[in-house]
Amino acid sequence: MFFPRFLLLALPCCVGLLALGGCGGGDQKGPSLKVSYENALKLTLPADRVRALVRVSEQQRAAGDVAGASTSIEAAAKACAELGDDDPALKADALNSVASAQAKIGLTAAAKNLLKDVRRAAEAIPEPASKAKALARLATTYGADLKEPDTGIVYLRGAQAAAQEITDPAAQAAALAQVAAAAHALGDTATADQIVETALSQARGLADARQQAEALGELAAQLSQMGDAEQARTVLTEAEQAAGKVEDLMRRAYAQIYLAEKRKAIGDTGGAFKLLDAARDSADKAPDKSLSGPIHQEIDRLRGRWTAG
């Protein structure tokens, strides 16, 4: 789905290695965070680099390494500078992820400054579904990370307005799910609950089984973020049932892969692996085996990443 770049050729070695080295040992699966950081810097596409660096910074913050997290986020912010204006949705998403990470480690001024660029990028998005999602994420960052709900409400209203302009029912249901999560992050639970019900109704009314499965899966992921684990599991089970009704086996496999990622997102790794197995089984049963290669590759990629932690 998204993100930015900038290869740091010169980092102060002493500070960088000390900041990152403290998190890399112990029982951790896969490469150390220091190695993950170095690998992230080598990524060619700036969007990929931002995504990887933000992920490393979150792991460092969770490990108590604020200095290392700060170093990673600084690199991610520089990578954002390499993003052009040709894809404002990608740019808004990347910038917002960095601003959110900055806010979480106390870099409030830097986060607020970057959010100005997020706003400009979001306002430049021509397509209403992407604009609604970008404004919803912006509202969430203000509400959940900066604790400025009044500012966040302004962008929430913008997200709601953009969502109303979406003409495709599946895209609208997915966008509404993110708008609901933003409302919840801002403490507006009444609005969040109302939007959830609208999104659920919209998703359940989709005639295409794959679209229904993916819309429900997105809503389940957002419900999990809102803290409603029970409803998230219920809706995700409903999504899996819809995926099982997709007649074309290749489309069914892709739907199951999508839902596996949502299972992983709500913390159910075991369930995610089962869905990957189901997706492989669906692809293997398809009449045209020549089309199953990309599906197997994606399944193997996700399994490898999740196994590595």
Side-chain angles (χ1 to χ4, degrees):
M1 294 185 156
F2 14 117
F3 293 67
R5 57 177 98 156
F6 191 92
L7 187 62
L8 292 184
L9 297 176
L11 271 177
C13 292
C14 295
V15 175
L17 292 177
L18 284 173
L20 294 162
C23 318
D27 303 336
Q28 181 179 321
K29 294 181 180 179
S32 69
L33 293 180
K34 176 177 175 292
V35 172
S36 295
Y37 170 80
E38 292 170 347
N39 289 339
L41 290 178
K42 296 174 184 176
L43 294 173
T44 303
L45 295 178
D48 291 343
R49 205 177 317 141
V50 171
R51 199 162 33 232
L53 286 166
V54 168
R55 186 164 56 245
V56 172
S57 77
E58 290 173 345
Q59 293 170 333
Q60 290 167 320
R61 180 174 62 86
D65 183 7
V66 178
S70 180
T71 299
S72 296
I73 281 303
E74 181 182 357
K78 289 180 178 179
C80 285
E82 294 184 45
L83 287 175
D85 296 325
D86 56 318
D87 190 340
L90 177 69
K91 186 171 185 176
D93 194 41
L95 290 166
N96 191 74
S97 70
V98 174
S100 174
Q102 287 174 327
K104 288 171 182 173
I105 58 174
L107 301 175
T108 305
K112 288 183 177 181
N113 189 54
L114 206 57
L115 287 175
K116 295 177 184 177
D117 294 330
V118 176
R119 174 180 55 80
R120 283 190 284 270
E123 290 174 349
I125 299 172
E127 199 271 313
S130 296
K131 177 176 283 190
K133 292 176 183 179
L135 290 171
R137 293 185 191 115
L138 179 57
T140 299
T141 299
Y142 271 108
D145 302 325
L146 289 174
K147 310 304 180 187
E148 294 187 6
D150 290 343
T151 303
I153 286 291
V154 174
Y155 297 113
L156 176 66
R157 299 296 176 242
Q160 289 177 286
Q164 292 306 311
E165 296 178 9
I166 302 170
T167 57
D168 178 74
Q172 187 175 56
L176 285 172
Q178 294 198 19
V179 175
H184 185 272
L186 291 165
D188 189 352
T189 55
T191 297
D193 291 343
Q194 182 180 24
I195 296 173
V196 165
E197 289 306 312
T198 300
L200 265 175
S201 176
Q202 189 104 343
R204 287 168 175 161
L206 293 171
D208 183 273
R210 179 180 174 183
Q211 289 186 340
Q212 184 181 113
E214 293 183 353
L216 288 169
E218 175 62 28
L219 184 55
Q222 298 302 328
L223 284 166
S224 178
Q225 287 190 16
M226 293 162 62
D228 193 344
E230 182 176 355
Q231 189 176 13
R233 288 192 295 269
T234 299
V235 173
L236 195 47
T237 298
E238 187 178 346
E240 291 167 13
Q241 292 169 349
K245 296 177 183 178
V246 178
E247 293 184 5
D248 184 283
L249 290 171
M250 289 301 179
R251 294 186 76 237
R252 182 189 299 178
Y254 279 116
Q256 289 166 327
I257 290 172
Y258 180 86
L259 295 179
E261 294 185 90
K262 298 306 177 184
R263 275 283 176 197
K264 177 65 176 175
I266 70 170
D268 183 4
T269 303
F273 281 127
K274 287 180 181 178
L275 276 165
L276 289 183
D277 290 339
R280 188 183 297 277
D281 185 59
S282 295
D284 289 344
K285 289 179 179 177
D288 189 350
K289 298 295 188 294
S290 66
L291 300 176
S292 64
I295 292 177
H296 284 180
Q297 290 173 10
E298 180 63 6
I299 291 171
D300 291 342
R301 184 187 69 82
L302 290 172
R303 185 177 293 278
R305 192 177 81 195
W306 296 343
T307 301

